[in-house]
Amino acid sequence: MTTFEEKLQELIEQCRETIESVYSECNANAPNFGVSQEDFTGSISGSVSRFLCRGEEDLPSVSEVREFIESIKSDDLFLAIACAHGNERAWWEFDHQHRGYLERISRHLASTDLSAQEVIDHVYVELYGTRVVDGVRMSKFATYSGKGSIRGWLRTVIWHALVDFHRASHDEVSLDGMTENVGEGYTHSTFKNQDLGGEDQMIDRLSHEKYKKATLESIRSAFASLDDHEKLLLLYYHSEGLKLREIARLAEAPASPLRDWFQRRSKAREKNPSARIHESTIMRWLDKTYSIVMERFCERLTSVHSLGEKEIDICLELATRDLADPDVYKNLASNA
Amino acid sequence: MNNKGNNREELIREVLGGILRQSTSSVAFEDADHLDNDVMAAFVEGNLSEREAKPVTTHLVDCSFCRHKSAELVRLDLRFAEEQIEAPSADSEPAKVSDVLSGILGKIFGAGEGAVFAHQDDEAVEKKEKDEEE
């Protein structure tokens, strides 16, 4: 019986030509990094297993693996492999090209009680690796796959190091407190209590409860029925406070899956697949998602809770007022 | 869309927005399996294929820690996007990384160079031994 490792090996073998071509190019660009083709192939094989294999029964096709290899930031990966092996020239190159950037990121993120330099030192030690397992030094560089740019990866490493530093210096700290103290943070806006005047008096407590329950259940159900990318869009916009241009940045890459999911049936996309994603595009995606939620919310209130048109309006109005109570609709996303 | 429809859509935005702003996750930092830095960075840069991004998206919906981290990284990405990548100057001498790291490690652990830095290549070790013999 063929094991998962054997199947994976077979896939890699079928892509050998692609790997060799990428390796030759990298080696020509940096011949003194001392990275062997075997090491390079080993690193790619690990990444294929991590990113593309969902289990023994769900292996990627050869063309998917080839596409994956071609999409890798190969020069960055080559540098990382060499640094993981402790190659002096590669470390010099890394230090020369990226230290300034690391310092700027760290200074930008570190709050007053955290020393940016301390974080940089800590990250350098992690990148080099001080732990030795079975005679092999565990360098953090070995965890970089080349799927994203090395600078993007370094940003993430610095961010995480800062969170670790913050946790180490604050024994008991909430998740929000921890993450809001690192970086630019965000503000939770509170919902304004709307005064609906006399209408409020018309609705007695019992029916208020009934509507509240129906609203909560229906909103939950409508949100849960969304696809994950739609949920994530709403969460980024409302919960994380990302601006439209920031979400656009996330979907900017021509191959971005977010872009694919939202524009799957778009004629404009078919005509120009790499067209820029503008803020107005994100607004349209949001509008579409709100429409889906509203449709399913109303449908649910009608079919499951047997409410009429007027009652649906009452539910919505009550819901806007109830949002002033932070406990009423808590954990919608985590319960979805 | 008629006025009633518009009004409802406005309200559903307010309601949904309000709910999501108030929503928190019960995922604890220590207990949960979070996305690793490599996957996170690739997602933020839009470098994952559909097959690769699907489980990541599902995780980000459920895990507020990773979602917040990814949002912060998007902000950082934009903030530093316009920075020019400085070209290394050709005339500068390569600093020995062993010196850089030994300095850092010595600062952290208070140990000497020899104790903390053990990766020197064979050539360097041979040269050192030869120098010592002489």
Side-chain angles (χ1 to χ4, degrees), chain A residues 50 52 54 58 86 92 96 104 121 128 145 147 149 160 167 179 186 191 228 236 238 240 264 287 309 313 323 331, chain B residues 8 13-14 21-22 24 29-30 36 38 45 50-52 58 65 68-70 72 75 77 83 88 94-95 107 119:
Chain A
R50 202 152 60 92
L52 293 180
R54 292 182 195 147
D58 193 5
W92 177 79
H96 206 50
R104 284 194 296 282
D121 287 352
Y128 182 73
S145 67
K147 245 337 246 180
S149 70
H160 211 97
R167 289 172 66 222
T179 55
Y186 64 100
F191 214 85
D228 282 338
Y236 271 145
H238 291 291
E240 299 303 331
R264 201 176 291 277
D287 282 342
E309 289 293 304
D313 290 334
L323 284 170
N331 295 326
Chain B
R8 273 191 186 172
R13 270 174 212 212
E14 284 187 38
R21 272 191 291 272
Q22 288 172 4
T24 55
F29 177 77
E30 290 83 0
D36 65 40
D38 189 44
E45 287 185 337
E50 201 174 326
R51 181 187 174 98
E52 295 149 20
T58 305
F65 178 80
H68 180 56
K69 180 175 170 178
S70 65
E72 286 290 317
R75 289 189 180 106
D77 183 32
E83 277 213 356
K107 222 163 42 177
H119 93 280

Short mmCIF file of all heavy atoms in Angstrom, two decimals, chain A residues 50 52 54 58 86 92 96 104 121 128 145 147 149 160 167 179 186 191 228 236 238 240 264 287 309 313 323 331, chain B residues 8 13-14 21-22 24 29-30 36 38 45 50-52 58 65 68-70 72 75 77 83 88 94-95 107 119:
data_model
loop_
_atom_site.label_atom_id
_atom_site.label_comp_id
_atom_site.label_asym_id
_atom_site.label_seq_id
_atom_site.Cartn_x
_atom_site.Cartn_y
_atom_site.Cartn_z
N ARG A 50 2.23 21.02 3.24
CA ARG A 50 1.55 21.90 4.21
C ARG A 50 0.41 22.70 3.57
O ARG A 50 -0.65 22.87 4.15
CB ARG A 50 2.58 22.86 4.79
CG ARG A 50 2.21 23.46 6.12
CD ARG A 50 3.44 23.81 6.92
NE ARG A 50 4.27 24.77 6.23
CZ ARG A 50 4.16 26.09 6.39
NH1 ARG A 50 3.24 26.57 7.19
NH2 ARG A 50 4.95 26.90 5.76
N LEU A 52 -0.97 22.28 0.24
CA LEU A 52 -1.86 21.70 -0.75
C LEU A 52 -2.50 20.37 -0.36
O LEU A 52 -3.48 19.96 -0.96
CB LEU A 52 -1.12 21.51 -2.08
CG LEU A 52 -0.68 22.77 -2.83
CD1 LEU A 52 0.03 22.40 -4.12
CD2 LEU A 52 -1.87 23.66 -3.16
N ARG A 54 -4.64 18.08 1.88
CA ARG A 54 -5.62 18.13 2.98
C ARG A 54 -5.80 16.76 3.62
O ARG A 54 -6.70 16.54 4.39
CB ARG A 54 -6.96 18.62 2.45
CG ARG A 54 -6.92 20.06 2.03
CD ARG A 54 -8.30 20.48 1.56
NE ARG A 54 -8.22 21.72 0.83
CZ ARG A 54 -9.01 22.01 -0.18
NH1 ARG A 54 -9.94 21.18 -0.57
NH2 ARG A 54 -8.90 23.17 -0.80
N ASP A 58 -7.03 13.55 -0.34
CA ASP A 58 -7.23 14.78 -1.08
C ASP A 58 -5.90 15.41 -1.48
O ASP A 58 -5.52 16.47 -1.00
CB ASP A 58 -8.07 15.76 -0.24
CG ASP A 58 -8.58 16.92 -1.07
OD1 ASP A 58 -8.38 16.91 -2.29
OD2 ASP A 58 -9.17 17.85 -0.48
N GLY A 86 22.99 28.71 7.97
CA GLY A 86 24.07 29.51 8.56
C GLY A 86 25.11 29.99 7.57
O GLY A 86 26.24 30.28 7.96
N TRP A 92 24.74 37.91 5.51
CA TRP A 92 25.14 39.29 5.24
C TRP A 92 24.11 39.95 4.31
O TRP A 92 23.67 41.07 4.53
CB TRP A 92 26.54 39.32 4.59
CG TRP A 92 26.93 40.71 4.23
CD1 TRP A 92 27.41 41.67 5.07
CD2 TRP A 92 26.82 41.33 2.94
NE1 TRP A 92 27.61 42.84 4.39
CE2 TRP A 92 27.26 42.66 3.07
CE3 TRP A 92 26.40 40.87 1.69
CZ2 TRP A 92 27.28 43.55 2.01
CZ3 TRP A 92 26.42 41.77 0.63
CH2 TRP A 92 26.86 43.09 0.79
N HIS A 96 21.86 43.05 5.29
CA HIS A 96 22.02 44.23 4.48
C HIS A 96 20.70 44.68 3.86
O HIS A 96 20.40 45.87 3.81
CB HIS A 96 23.04 43.89 3.39
CG HIS A 96 23.77 45.08 2.89
ND1 HIS A 96 24.39 45.99 3.73
CD2 HIS A 96 23.99 45.53 1.63
CE1 HIS A 96 24.94 46.93 3.00
NE2 HIS A 96 24.73 46.67 1.72
N ARG A 104 12.42 49.54 11.13
CA ARG A 104 11.33 50.52 10.94
C ARG A 104 10.00 49.92 11.38
O ARG A 104 9.21 50.57 12.06
CB ARG A 104 11.26 50.97 9.48
CG ARG A 104 12.36 51.96 9.12
CD ARG A 104 12.09 52.64 7.79
NE ARG A 104 12.11 51.71 6.67
CZ ARG A 104 13.22 51.23 6.11
NH1 ARG A 104 14.39 51.59 6.58
NH2 ARG A 104 13.17 50.40 5.09
N ASP A 121 16.55 42.15 18.28
CA ASP A 121 17.56 41.19 18.76
C ASP A 121 16.93 39.81 18.96
O ASP A 121 17.47 38.80 18.54
CB ASP A 121 18.17 41.67 20.10
CG ASP A 121 19.10 42.85 19.90
OD1 ASP A 121 19.38 43.20 18.73
OD2 ASP A 121 19.54 43.44 20.90
N TYR A 128 18.10 32.79 13.66
CA TYR A 128 19.29 31.95 13.62
C TYR A 128 18.99 30.58 14.25
O TYR A 128 19.31 29.54 13.70
CB TYR A 128 20.45 32.64 14.34
CG TYR A 128 21.71 31.81 14.27
CD1 TYR A 128 22.42 31.70 13.08
CD2 TYR A 128 22.16 31.09 15.38
CE1 TYR A 128 23.54 30.91 13.00
CE2 TYR A 128 23.29 30.31 15.30
CZ TYR A 128 23.98 30.21 14.11
OH TYR A 128 25.08 29.42 14.01
N SER A 145 8.11 29.45 3.69
CA SER A 145 7.87 28.60 2.51
C SER A 145 8.09 29.29 1.18
O SER A 145 8.15 28.66 0.14
CB SER A 145 6.42 28.10 2.55
OG SER A 145 5.56 29.22 2.37
N LYS A 147 5.85 31.27 -0.01
CA LYS A 147 4.50 31.51 -0.55
C LYS A 147 4.20 33.01 -0.59
O LYS A 147 3.56 33.51 -1.50
CB LYS A 147 3.46 30.82 0.33
CG LYS A 147 2.66 29.69 -0.24
CD LYS A 147 2.52 29.64 -1.71
CE LYS A 147 1.10 29.85 -2.18
NZ LYS A 147 0.96 29.80 -3.64
N SER A 149 6.06 37.07 0.27
CA SER A 149 7.40 37.66 0.20
C SER A 149 8.09 37.52 1.56
O SER A 149 7.43 37.38 2.59
CB SER A 149 7.29 39.15 -0.14
OG SER A 149 6.73 39.84 0.96
N HIS A 160 4.32 39.16 15.81
CA HIS A 160 4.11 38.09 16.78
C HIS A 160 5.09 38.20 17.95
O HIS A 160 4.72 37.97 19.10
CB HIS A 160 4.24 36.72 16.11
CG HIS A 160 3.38 35.70 16.75
ND1 HIS A 160 2.15 35.36 16.28
CD2 HIS A 160 3.57 34.98 17.87
CE1 HIS A 160 1.61 34.47 17.08
NE2 HIS A 160 2.46 34.22 18.05
N ARG A 167 2.94 39.87 26.27
CA ARG A 167 2.36 38.86 27.17
C ARG A 167 3.32 38.55 28.30
O ARG A 167 2.92 38.37 29.43
CB ARG A 167 2.03 37.59 26.40
CG ARG A 167 0.87 37.76 25.46
CD ARG A 167 0.73 36.54 24.58
NE ARG A 167 0.36 35.37 25.33
CZ ARG A 167 0.87 34.16 25.15
NH1 ARG A 167 1.80 33.97 24.24
NH2 ARG A 167 0.47 33.15 25.86
N THR A 179 -3.74 42.44 21.93
CA THR A 179 -3.57 42.79 20.52
C THR A 179 -3.76 44.28 20.29
O THR A 179 -3.17 44.84 19.38
CB THR A 179 -4.53 42.00 19.63
OG1 THR A 179 -5.85 42.20 20.10
CG2 THR A 179 -4.20 40.55 19.64
N TYR A 186 -7.62 49.31 17.25
CA TYR A 186 -8.86 49.76 16.65
C TYR A 186 -9.85 50.09 17.75
O TYR A 186 -9.70 49.67 18.87
CB TYR A 186 -9.44 48.69 15.71
CG TYR A 186 -9.83 47.41 16.37
CD1 TYR A 186 -11.15 47.17 16.69
CD2 TYR A 186 -8.86 46.46 16.71
CE1 TYR A 186 -11.52 45.98 17.30
CE2 TYR A 186 -9.23 45.29 17.33
CZ TYR A 186 -10.56 45.05 17.61
OH TYR A 186 -10.91 43.88 18.21
N PHE A 191 -23.11 51.33 19.44
CA PHE A 191 -24.30 51.68 18.67
C PHE A 191 -25.10 52.75 19.39
O PHE A 191 -25.26 52.71 20.59
CB PHE A 191 -25.15 50.42 18.49
CG PHE A 191 -25.85 50.43 17.19
CD1 PHE A 191 -25.20 49.98 16.05
CD2 PHE A 191 -27.12 50.93 17.09
CE1 PHE A 191 -25.84 50.00 14.84
CE2 PHE A 191 -27.76 50.97 15.87
CZ PHE A 191 -27.11 50.50 14.74
N ASP A 228 -17.88 31.69 3.71
CA ASP A 228 -16.86 32.20 4.61
C ASP A 228 -16.25 33.53 4.15
O ASP A 228 -15.97 34.40 4.97
CB ASP A 228 -15.74 31.15 4.80
CG ASP A 228 -16.16 30.05 5.75
OD1 ASP A 228 -17.08 30.30 6.57
OD2 ASP A 228 -15.59 28.95 5.68
N TYR A 236 -14.16 41.89 8.80
CA TYR A 236 -13.05 42.83 8.61
C TYR A 236 -13.57 44.27 8.66
O TYR A 236 -12.96 45.13 9.27
CB TYR A 236 -12.36 42.59 7.27
CG TYR A 236 -11.23 41.58 7.32
CD1 TYR A 236 -10.98 40.74 6.24
CD2 TYR A 236 -10.39 41.48 8.43
CE1 TYR A 236 -9.94 39.81 6.26
CE2 TYR A 236 -9.35 40.55 8.46
CZ TYR A 236 -9.14 39.73 7.38
OH TYR A 236 -8.10 38.82 7.40
N HIS A 238 -16.59 45.53 9.85
CA HIS A 238 -17.28 46.00 11.06
C HIS A 238 -16.53 45.67 12.35
O HIS A 238 -16.47 46.49 13.26
CB HIS A 238 -18.68 45.37 11.14
CG HIS A 238 -19.61 45.88 10.09
ND1 HIS A 238 -20.08 47.17 10.08
CD2 HIS A 238 -20.13 45.28 8.99
CE1 HIS A 238 -20.87 47.34 9.04
NE2 HIS A 238 -20.91 46.22 8.36
N GLU A 240 -13.21 44.46 12.74
CA GLU A 240 -11.80 44.89 12.80
C GLU A 240 -11.61 46.34 12.37
O GLU A 240 -10.52 46.89 12.50
CB GLU A 240 -10.92 43.98 11.92
CG GLU A 240 -10.93 42.52 12.31
CD GLU A 240 -10.51 42.29 13.74
OE1 GLU A 240 -9.71 43.07 14.29
OE2 GLU A 240 -11.00 41.31 14.34
N ARG A 264 -16.65 35.86 -9.19
CA ARG A 264 -16.72 34.62 -9.97
C ARG A 264 -17.58 34.76 -11.24
O ARG A 264 -17.22 34.28 -12.28
CB ARG A 264 -17.26 33.48 -9.10
CG ARG A 264 -16.89 32.12 -9.62
CD ARG A 264 -17.36 31.07 -8.67
NE ARG A 264 -16.62 31.08 -7.42
CZ ARG A 264 -15.44 30.49 -7.25
NH1 ARG A 264 -14.87 29.89 -8.25
NH2 ARG A 264 -14.83 30.52 -6.09
N ASP A 287 -22.33 45.66 -0.29
CA ASP A 287 -23.76 45.84 -0.60
C ASP A 287 -24.41 44.52 -0.97
O ASP A 287 -25.51 44.21 -0.51
CB ASP A 287 -23.93 46.82 -1.77
CG ASP A 287 -23.77 48.27 -1.30
OD1 ASP A 287 -23.87 48.49 -0.09
OD2 ASP A 287 -23.52 49.14 -2.15
N GLU A 309 -45.03 41.51 7.34
CA GLU A 309 -44.17 42.61 6.90
C GLU A 309 -43.96 43.67 7.97
O GLU A 309 -42.84 44.13 8.21
CB GLU A 309 -44.78 43.26 5.64
CG GLU A 309 -44.68 42.38 4.40
CD GLU A 309 -43.24 42.18 3.95
OE1 GLU A 309 -42.56 43.18 3.71
OE2 GLU A 309 -42.81 41.01 3.86
N ASP A 313 -40.44 44.94 10.19
CA ASP A 313 -39.95 46.31 10.42
C ASP A 313 -39.76 46.58 11.90
O ASP A 313 -38.77 47.19 12.31
CB ASP A 313 -40.92 47.33 9.82
CG ASP A 313 -40.89 47.29 8.29
OD1 ASP A 313 -39.83 46.88 7.76
OD2 ASP A 313 -41.89 47.63 7.65
N LEU A 323 -29.06 47.11 20.39
CA LEU A 323 -27.61 47.00 20.25
C LEU A 323 -26.86 47.80 21.31
O LEU A 323 -25.67 47.61 21.52
CB LEU A 323 -27.18 47.46 18.86
CG LEU A 323 -27.47 46.44 17.79
CD1 LEU A 323 -27.25 47.03 16.42
CD2 LEU A 323 -26.58 45.23 17.97
N ASN A 331 -21.11 37.44 20.54
CA ASN A 331 -20.65 36.16 20.01
C ASN A 331 -21.36 35.67 18.77
O ASN A 331 -21.42 34.47 18.53
CB ASN A 331 -20.72 35.07 21.09
CG ASN A 331 -19.78 35.36 22.21
OD1 ASN A 331 -18.69 35.92 22.00
ND2 ASN A 331 -20.19 35.03 23.41
N ARG B 8 -35.12 49.16 4.95
CA ARG B 8 -34.77 47.88 5.58
C ARG B 8 -33.29 47.57 5.40
O ARG B 8 -32.63 47.10 6.32
CB ARG B 8 -35.59 46.75 4.96
CG ARG B 8 -36.92 46.58 5.63
CD ARG B 8 -37.53 45.30 5.16
NE ARG B 8 -38.88 45.17 5.67
CZ ARG B 8 -39.71 44.22 5.29
NH1 ARG B 8 -39.36 43.36 4.36
NH2 ARG B 8 -40.91 44.14 5.80
N ARG B 13 -27.98 46.89 7.77
CA ARG B 13 -26.56 47.28 7.84
C ARG B 13 -26.21 47.72 9.25
O ARG B 13 -25.19 47.35 9.80
CB ARG B 13 -26.30 48.49 6.94
CG ARG B 13 -25.91 48.11 5.57
CD ARG B 13 -25.82 49.35 4.73
NE ARG B 13 -26.20 48.97 3.38
CZ ARG B 13 -25.72 49.51 2.29
NH1 ARG B 13 -24.89 50.51 2.39
NH2 ARG B 13 -26.07 49.10 1.12
N GLU B 14 -27.10 48.57 9.80
CA GLU B 14 -26.85 49.08 11.16
C GLU B 14 -26.83 47.93 12.16
O GLU B 14 -25.95 47.84 13.01
CB GLU B 14 -27.93 50.08 11.56
CG GLU B 14 -27.78 51.42 10.91
CD GLU B 14 -28.77 52.42 11.47
OE1 GLU B 14 -29.04 52.38 12.68
OE2 GLU B 14 -29.29 53.23 10.68
N ARG B 21 -19.57 44.54 15.54
CA ARG B 21 -18.63 45.35 16.33
C ARG B 21 -18.58 44.85 17.76
O ARG B 21 -17.56 44.90 18.42
CB ARG B 21 -19.04 46.82 16.31
CG ARG B 21 -18.45 47.59 15.14
CD ARG B 21 -18.67 49.09 15.30
NE ARG B 21 -20.07 49.44 15.16
CZ ARG B 21 -20.65 49.72 14.00
NH1 ARG B 21 -19.94 49.68 12.89
NH2 ARG B 21 -21.92 50.04 13.93
N GLN B 22 -19.72 44.38 18.23
CA GLN B 22 -19.77 43.91 19.62
C GLN B 22 -19.33 42.46 19.78
O GLN B 22 -19.14 41.99 20.89
CB GLN B 22 -21.19 44.05 20.16
CG GLN B 22 -21.57 45.50 20.42
CD GLN B 22 -23.03 45.65 20.76
OE1 GLN B 22 -23.76 44.67 20.88
NE2 GLN B 22 -23.47 46.88 20.94
N THR B 24 -17.38 39.13 20.10
CA THR B 24 -16.06 38.75 20.58
C THR B 24 -15.92 37.25 20.37
O THR B 24 -16.90 36.56 20.15
CB THR B 24 -15.88 39.04 22.07
OG1 THR B 24 -16.92 38.38 22.76
CG2 THR B 24 -15.89 40.52 22.35
N PHE B 29 -5.88 32.65 23.36
CA PHE B 29 -4.62 32.68 22.63
C PHE B 29 -3.82 31.41 22.86
O PHE B 29 -3.29 30.82 21.93
CB PHE B 29 -3.81 33.90 23.07
CG PHE B 29 -2.46 33.96 22.42
CD1 PHE B 29 -2.34 34.37 21.11
CD2 PHE B 29 -1.32 33.58 23.11
CE1 PHE B 29 -1.11 34.41 20.49
CE2 PHE B 29 -0.08 33.62 22.50
CZ PHE B 29 0.03 34.04 21.19
N GLU B 30 -3.75 30.97 24.09
CA GLU B 30 -2.90 29.83 24.42
C GLU B 30 -3.46 28.50 23.91
O GLU B 30 -2.73 27.61 23.52
CB GLU B 30 -2.71 29.70 25.94
CG GLU B 30 -1.84 30.79 26.55
CD GLU B 30 -2.64 32.05 26.84
OE1 GLU B 30 -3.86 32.07 26.56
OE2 GLU B 30 -2.05 33.02 27.34
N ASP B 36 0.04 29.88 11.27
CA ASP B 36 1.44 30.24 11.49
C ASP B 36 1.79 31.47 10.66
O ASP B 36 1.04 31.90 9.78
CB ASP B 36 2.38 29.05 11.23
CG ASP B 36 2.38 28.60 9.78
OD1 ASP B 36 2.34 29.46 8.90
OD2 ASP B 36 2.42 27.37 9.55
N ASP B 38 3.90 32.08 8.39
CA ASP B 38 4.11 31.87 6.96
C ASP B 38 2.78 31.91 6.20
O ASP B 38 2.63 32.63 5.20
CB ASP B 38 4.80 30.51 6.78
CG ASP B 38 5.25 30.29 5.36
OD1 ASP B 38 5.79 31.22 4.77
OD2 ASP B 38 5.04 29.17 4.86
N GLU B 45 -0.87 38.90 1.75
CA GLU B 45 -0.37 39.41 0.47
C GLU B 45 -1.19 38.90 -0.72
O GLU B 45 -0.89 39.22 -1.87
CB GLU B 45 1.09 38.97 0.28
CG GLU B 45 2.04 39.74 1.18
CD GLU B 45 3.50 39.40 0.92
OE1 GLU B 45 3.77 38.31 0.39
OE2 GLU B 45 4.34 40.21 1.26
N GLU B 50 -6.97 29.42 -4.36
CA GLU B 50 -8.28 29.16 -3.78
C GLU B 50 -8.22 27.94 -2.85
O GLU B 50 -8.74 27.97 -1.74
CB GLU B 50 -9.28 28.93 -4.90
CG GLU B 50 -10.69 29.15 -4.43
CD GLU B 50 -11.69 29.08 -5.56
OE1 GLU B 50 -11.35 29.49 -6.69
OE2 GLU B 50 -12.81 28.61 -5.30
N ARG B 51 -7.57 26.91 -3.31
CA ARG B 51 -7.47 25.67 -2.54
C ARG B 51 -6.74 25.92 -1.21
O ARG B 51 -7.13 25.43 -0.16
CB ARG B 51 -6.71 24.62 -3.36
CG ARG B 51 -6.56 23.27 -2.68
CD ARG B 51 -5.66 22.36 -3.51
NE ARG B 51 -5.41 21.12 -2.79
CZ ARG B 51 -6.06 19.99 -3.01
NH1 ARG B 51 -6.99 19.93 -3.91
NH2 ARG B 51 -5.77 18.90 -2.32
N GLU B 52 -5.68 26.74 -1.28
CA GLU B 52 -4.89 27.02 -0.08
C GLU B 52 -5.63 27.97 0.86
O GLU B 52 -5.48 27.90 2.07
CB GLU B 52 -3.54 27.64 -0.47
CG GLU B 52 -2.63 26.73 -1.27
CD GLU B 52 -1.74 27.50 -2.23
OE1 GLU B 52 -1.53 28.71 -2.05
OE2 GLU B 52 -1.25 26.87 -3.19
N THR B 58 -11.79 30.12 6.55
CA THR B 58 -12.67 29.52 7.57
C THR B 58 -12.09 29.79 8.97
O THR B 58 -12.82 30.16 9.89
CB THR B 58 -12.79 28.00 7.34
OG1 THR B 58 -13.23 27.79 6.00
CG2 THR B 58 -13.75 27.35 8.31
N PHE B 65 -8.39 36.20 17.21
CA PHE B 65 -6.98 36.56 17.37
C PHE B 65 -6.30 36.64 16.00
O PHE B 65 -5.66 37.65 15.67
CB PHE B 65 -6.24 35.56 18.27
CG PHE B 65 -4.78 35.87 18.41
CD1 PHE B 65 -4.35 36.86 19.29
CD2 PHE B 65 -3.83 35.23 17.63
CE1 PHE B 65 -3.01 37.19 19.39
CE2 PHE B 65 -2.49 35.55 17.73
CZ PHE B 65 -2.08 36.53 18.61
N HIS B 68 -7.71 39.50 13.88
CA HIS B 68 -7.19 40.80 14.29
C HIS B 68 -5.73 40.97 13.82
O HIS B 68 -5.33 42.01 13.33
CB HIS B 68 -7.28 40.95 15.81
CG HIS B 68 -6.77 42.26 16.31
ND1 HIS B 68 -7.26 43.45 15.86
CD2 HIS B 68 -5.79 42.56 17.19
CE1 HIS B 68 -6.62 44.44 16.46
NE2 HIS B 68 -5.70 43.93 17.26
N LYS B 69 -4.98 39.87 13.98
CA LYS B 69 -3.58 39.90 13.54
C LYS B 69 -3.50 40.18 12.03
O LYS B 69 -2.72 41.02 11.58
CB LYS B 69 -2.92 38.55 13.88
CG LYS B 69 -1.47 38.44 13.48
CD LYS B 69 -0.90 37.12 13.99
CE LYS B 69 0.47 36.83 13.43
NZ LYS B 69 1.05 35.58 13.96
N SER B 70 -4.35 39.49 11.26
CA SER B 70 -4.31 39.69 9.81
C SER B 70 -4.71 41.12 9.45
O SER B 70 -4.14 41.72 8.55
CB SER B 70 -5.20 38.66 9.09
OG SER B 70 -6.55 38.86 9.41
N GLU B 72 -4.27 43.79 11.31
CA GLU B 72 -3.13 44.65 11.65
C GLU B 72 -2.04 44.55 10.59
O GLU B 72 -1.40 45.53 10.25
CB GLU B 72 -2.55 44.22 13.01
CG GLU B 72 -3.40 44.63 14.20
CD GLU B 72 -3.39 46.14 14.42
OE1 GLU B 72 -2.32 46.75 14.33
OE2 GLU B 72 -4.48 46.70 14.65
N ARG B 75 -2.88 46.58 7.56
CA ARG B 75 -2.59 48.01 7.81
C ARG B 75 -1.10 48.28 7.68
O ARG B 75 -0.68 49.25 7.07
CB ARG B 75 -3.05 48.39 9.22
CG ARG B 75 -4.55 48.45 9.36
CD ARG B 75 -4.96 49.05 10.70
NE ARG B 75 -6.40 49.08 10.81
CZ ARG B 75 -7.12 48.26 11.57
NH1 ARG B 75 -6.53 47.34 12.29
NH2 ARG B 75 -8.43 48.35 11.60
N ASP B 77 1.08 46.51 6.01
CA ASP B 77 1.45 46.31 4.62
C ASP B 77 1.24 47.60 3.83
O ASP B 77 2.11 48.05 3.10
CB ASP B 77 0.60 45.16 4.05
CG ASP B 77 0.98 44.82 2.63
OD1 ASP B 77 2.16 44.98 2.29
OD2 ASP B 77 0.11 44.41 1.85
N GLU B 83 7.31 52.38 0.80
CA GLU B 83 8.74 52.49 1.12
C GLU B 83 9.56 51.85 0.03
O GLU B 83 9.26 50.75 -0.42
CB GLU B 83 9.03 51.77 2.43
CG GLU B 83 8.73 52.60 3.62
CD GLU B 83 9.69 52.30 4.75
OE1 GLU B 83 10.52 51.39 4.60
OE2 GLU B 83 9.59 52.96 5.78
N PRO B 88 21.36 47.36 -1.67
CA PRO B 88 22.57 47.31 -0.87
C PRO B 88 23.72 47.98 -1.60
O PRO B 88 23.87 47.80 -2.80
CB PRO B 88 22.84 45.81 -0.72
CG PRO B 88 21.61 45.13 -1.20
CD PRO B 88 20.88 46.07 -2.08
N PRO B 94 31.11 43.05 3.76
CA PRO B 94 30.18 42.15 4.46
C PRO B 94 30.57 42.02 5.94
O PRO B 94 31.71 41.70 6.24
CB PRO B 94 30.37 40.81 3.74
CG PRO B 94 31.06 41.13 2.48
CD PRO B 94 31.81 42.38 2.68
N ALA B 95 29.62 42.33 6.81
CA ALA B 95 29.90 42.16 8.24
C ALA B 95 29.74 40.67 8.53
O ALA B 95 28.87 40.02 7.97
CB ALA B 95 28.90 42.95 9.05
N LYS B 107 24.45 39.58 24.64
CA LYS B 107 23.64 40.57 25.36
C LYS B 107 22.49 39.87 26.09
O LYS B 107 22.16 40.17 27.23
CB LYS B 107 23.06 41.56 24.34
CG LYS B 107 23.09 42.96 24.81
CD LYS B 107 22.93 43.99 23.71
CE LYS B 107 21.90 43.74 22.66
NZ LYS B 107 21.73 44.79 21.68
N HIS B 119 28.29 27.84 14.71
CA HIS B 119 28.05 27.36 13.36
C HIS B 119 29.19 27.62 12.39
O HIS B 119 29.12 27.26 11.22
CB HIS B 119 26.78 27.99 12.79
CG HIS B 119 27.06 29.22 12.01
ND1 HIS B 119 27.28 30.42 12.63
CD2 HIS B 119 27.20 29.43 10.69
CE1 HIS B 119 27.52 31.33 11.71
NE2 HIS B 119 27.48 30.75 10.53
#
